[in-house]
Amino acid sequence: MKRVLLLTLVAAGCGALAALAYAWHGEIAPISPPPAATFDRAQIERGAALALIGDCRTCHTAPGGTTFAGGLAMPTPFGTIYSTNITPDPETGIGRWPLAAFVRAMREGVDREGRHLYPAFPYDHFSLTTDADLAALYAFLMTRTPVVATAPANQLPFPINIRLVLAGWKLLFFHPEPFKDDPSRDAAWNRGRYLVEGLAHCGACHTPRNLMGAEIRSRAFAGGEAEGWTAYPLDAQSPARVPWTKAALAQYLREGWQTDHGVALGPMGPVTENLAEAPAQDIEAMADYLASLGAPASETATPKAPAPDASGQRPQSAGWQAAAMALPTDASAGRRVFAAACAACHQAGRPLPLGGVDLALSTAVAAETPRNLLNLILRGVPAADGVAAPIMPPFAAMDDTALTALLDYLRRDIAARPAWLDLAAAITAARRAAAPQTTANPAKGAP
Amino acid sequence: MITFTVNGTRRTIAAAPDTPLLYVLRGELELNGAKFGCGLGQCGACTVLVDGEPVFSCITPVMLLDERTVRTIEGLGSADAPGPVQAAFIAEQAAQCGYCIAGMVMRAQALLERDGDPDDDAILAALEPSLCRCGTHVRIVRAVKRAARTMAGKPMAGKVEAVR
Ligand code: FES
Ligand code: FES
């Protein structure tokens, strides 16, 4: 009896030690920050382009803060995580990180000190990145202006606040493998796949996650969500009314909108703002790969554009000058709202960006949930900084009755899809998320 | 028939239900404070409050407003007895041509009703949908801060509260 107990204890002890050995990562010795002149100019430029594709500045910049200085609050189902300072400040940033530490963070999700990083930092994608690309990213980041900034402490409940717990998560869900080209495809497609699945981490939003917050690999690109928005499926289940072609994807990724689909909104907005500055060749490659994920063009029926109104003519311009849409006397409430509030732009017969997207083509109207459509009606499409892009004023003044009638009309009569279930709950949630925030700036009042 | 409350008075509207609120305010109700700038929901000159929230009245058909509450700049005070936000805009001389000001004032009013002590970021975010072609933004931000002080019962020292 005693022997059994002893053996069990020894076995348990060995197991715990093995687990600790797996979970434990040593510190990588700090270096004194390398002078900018030690990095190669061309390498820095390559790193700059890769950082845009990786969307680094979107998460590593707080609203109104300095680029890459971190501090952005990222709400997750488990609590709030704050992005860190990735400028080369020696004390609060990554100034004392040697290249090996940067590579380990990107590949293994472990920081220089040896602490596990939360997978809100998508190392499950970044791990695919090649040595040369990581070195270029490192060169780029280490030559930015150092900023002194410490992120607020994460707000996570026990036991998730213990970083060692992440070792268990990694054991279950994180099995990095180096990227391998598919020899049956050409170089551009492989380059696209390398970027989409790696640095660009598209799956972080567009792949569904399990209860432990890990991407479900077997359902890659089957659609997910981010920050109260639906990230549409990119695979054959894409709700797009017109199949995405490589050219359409390239335009969308670079410009943030596409005539046959709509406008990049919510968390996708900053992604396209970054890609706008990335090398065209890389965007083309990403578009090439992404187009190959969707249904082949022939399998998807192209919907008819809405018929011109009774006068036989479509209004020619958006806004106050537009001719009123002729309505039959028995028109539904939703159609009346559409005619009064939406038609002037959306049936003006002018494509994006000068008119509204043809709602028969809109992915938001065709999608599985009304979430994105509601977000966009309530918030509008704000003017983009410094580029010509579509805008839409918000229509938050619509009450629930009008919204319900409108969405019902758009869904059934314009998109010819079954009505959405649970519209009332979706409207309440979208309104709450869109409500203006009172100033909750902790630094307020400080000098 | 559509009925709503404008500046505290119930009004029944004769205009067709798809008429933009701005046309009803200016044409039918002769409330000319809200201005027509673009008619596309892009400039903010037509901003009024519906149930306390700023809206572009040029793109809001009155059919959406049955039994709702609308406030326009006329509801905040008059030339002889300006409300605190109006008085602050006058004191800071925040208007050049004045075309954007009614919209700016309404946005400021809505902001101050939910946040009595907004910082610069909050003011800029709240006023962002309104464009001022004359460039009086710096004075407008000052006016909003002045109005916040007045409304909190702590008027700014050393300056007249209103010019008249
Ligand atoms: S006139 Fe309404 S926003 Fe310009
Ligand atoms: S004062 Fe002229 S537009 Fe603002």
Side-chain angles (χ1 to χ4, degrees):
Chain A
M1 186 64 202
K2 254 192 189 150
R3 276 180 71 99
V4 175
L5 190 67
L6 197 69
L7 271 177
T8 319
L9 276 177
V10 168
C14 288
L17 273 180
L20 200 63
Y22 173 82
W24 192 261
H25 292 269
E27 174 174 355
I28 295 179
I31 55 170
S32 40
T38 55
F39 294 100
D40 171 52
R41 177 96 231 138
Q43 192 185 32
I44 295 171
E45 271 164 24
R46 271 204 316 282
L50 292 165
L52 289 167
I53 293 170
D55 208 21
C56 310
R57 69 180 175 193
T58 302
C59 288
H60 285 281
T61 307
T66 315
T67 309
F68 297 129
L72 177 77
M74 293 186 285
T76 75
F78 310 99
T80 303
I81 293 176
Y82 291 87
S83 64
T84 52
N85 180 354
I86 54 168
T87 70
D89 179 60
E91 306 319 322
T92 62
I94 60 168
R96 294 191 184 283
W97 288 37
L99 174 61
F102 180 75
V103 169
R104 182 170 76 170
M106 295 287 283
R107 291 255 174 85
E108 299 173 44
V110 173
D111 71 5
R112 187 192 64 74
E113 288 86 346
R115 291 173 304 193
H116 288 285
L117 296 168
Y118 289 99
F121 173 55
Y123 46 80
D124 48 343
H125 294 274
F126 295 165
S127 59
L128 292 181
T129 311
T130 61
D131 288 343
D133 283 354
L134 287 179
L137 270 169
Y138 178 76
F140 169 68
L141 289 173
M142 295 303 271
T143 48
R144 297 309 91 204
T145 309
V147 179
V148 180
T150 307
N154 295 333
Q155 288 154 9
L156 294 167
F158 180 81
I160 303 171
N161 59 347
I162 315 259
R163 286 180 184 266
L164 219 50
V165 169
L166 289 168
W169 187 92
K170 287 179 178 174
L171 193 61
L172 290 170
F173 304 117
F174 179 50
H175 308 115
E177 276 171 38
F179 182 80
K180 279 199 213 67
D181 273 356
D182 178 346
S184 69
R185 302 289 197 139
D186 65 13
W189 184 93
N190 276 303
R191 171 77 180 157
R193 178 166 158 247
Y194 165 75
L195 292 172
V196 164
E197 299 198 343
L199 269 183
H201 63 284
C202 306
C205 295
H206 290 277
T207 294
R209 290 178 184 270
N210 65 20
L211 287 176
M212 303 273 281
E215 286 174 37
I216 305 169
R217 293 287 170 198
S218 58
R219 300 186 55 212
F221 302 116
E225 57 178 68
E227 296 160 44
W229 294 78
T230 296
Y232 299 126
L234 306 179
D235 61 8
Q237 303 310 309
S238 162
R241 306 310 302 272
V242 176
W244 280 100
T245 60
K246 181 187 157 188
L249 277 159
Q251 189 206 343
Y252 177 82
L253 292 177
R254 242 195 323 258
E255 298 184 27
W257 56 272
Q258 211 286 328
T259 319
D260 292 340
H261 298 90
V263 182
L265 291 171
M268 192 63 197
V271 173
T272 57
E273 275 168 37
N274 285 333
L275 295 182
E277 296 172 47
Q281 227 184 345
D282 283 340
I283 306 300
E284 298 279 329
M286 288 169 68
D288 198 358
Y289 173 62
L290 287 166
S292 76
L293 297 173
S298 56
E299 279 182 25
T300 326
T302 309
K304 280 205 312 279
D309 69 16
S311 67
Q313 235 187 355
R314 287 184 177 188
Q316 283 307 296
S317 64
W320 63 279
Q321 313 93 324
M325 191 177 149
L327 282 177
T329 46
D330 62 347
S332 67
R335 186 163 177 195
R336 287 179 192 281
V337 174
F338 176 81
C342 320
C345 289
H346 287 281
Q347 279 206 335
R350 302 200 301 180
L352 278 180
L354 302 170
V357 73
D358 181 341
L359 293 177
L361 303 181
S362 158
T363 308
V365 179
E368 214 172 299
T369 80
R371 191 192 275 149
N372 290 8
L373 181 60
L374 284 167
N375 285 346
L376 108 88
I377 292 173
L378 295 177
R379 305 176 201 201
V381 179
D385 277 349
V387 288
I391 60 114
M392 174 178 136
F395 285 85
M398 270 186 206
D399 66 11
D400 291 5
T401 317
L403 262 182
T404 308
L406 174 64
L407 261 63
D408 219 50
Y409 169 72
L410 292 177
R411 210 33 203 177
R412 292 208 292 220
D413 296 280
I414 299 276
R417 292 271 167 119
W420 279 304
L421 304 172
D422 258 347
L423 201 46
I427 291 174
T428 311
R431 264 199 213 286
R432 202 178 311 123
Q437 314 281 309
T438 31
T439 321
N441 180 0
K444 187 169 143 182
Chain B
M1 279 295 189
I2 288 153
T3 304
F4 51 76
T5 303
V6 184
N7 301 331
T9 310
R10 266 177 79 78
R11 305 296 291 259
T12 297
I13 303 305
D18 61 352
T19 312
L21 172 62
L22 179 64
Y23 300 5
V24 171
L25 292 174
R26 294 180 58 89
E28 197 173 327
L29 304 179
E30 293 180 14
L31 294 167
N32 292 307
K35 299 287 183 274
F36 181 102
C38 62
L40 294 164
Q42 292 187 27
C43 73
C46 64
T47 302
V48 301
L49 305 188
V50 172
D51 293 338
E53 290 301 329
V55 304
F56 299 126
S57 63
C58 68
I59 50 138
T60 305
V62 281
M63 69 192 290
L64 297 176
L65 301 176
D66 203 26
E67 299 302 330
R68 311 274 293 271
T69 303
V70 177
R71 269 196 298 164
T72 70
I73 192 154
E74 289 88 347
L76 301 188
S78 62
D80 294 327
V85 182
Q86 291 165 315
F89 272 67
I90 296 168
E92 293 292 349
Q93 289 291 288
Q96 173 74 344
C97 79
Y99 210 77
C100 71
I101 294 296
M104 294 283 186
V105 167
M106 295 318 285
R107 281 187 189 278
Q109 181 76 23
L111 168 68
L112 294 175
E113 283 176 10
R114 67 165 193 274
D115 181 355
D117 182 22
D119 59 16
D120 281 14
D121 287 348
I123 295 173
L124 293 180
L127 266 45
E128 206 254 11
S130 284
L131 307 180
C132 172
R133 293 164 299 177
C134 299
T136 68
H137 305 87
V138 174
R139 291 180 179 202
I140 289 173
V141 172
R142 270 208 312 258
V144 178
K145 288 184 169 168
R146 171 179 285 270
R149 297 281 296 266
T150 318
M151 288 162 85
K154 294 181 281 188
M156 280 165 132
K159 277 200 188 176
V160 282
E161 217 21 63
V163 282
R164 65 179 67 238

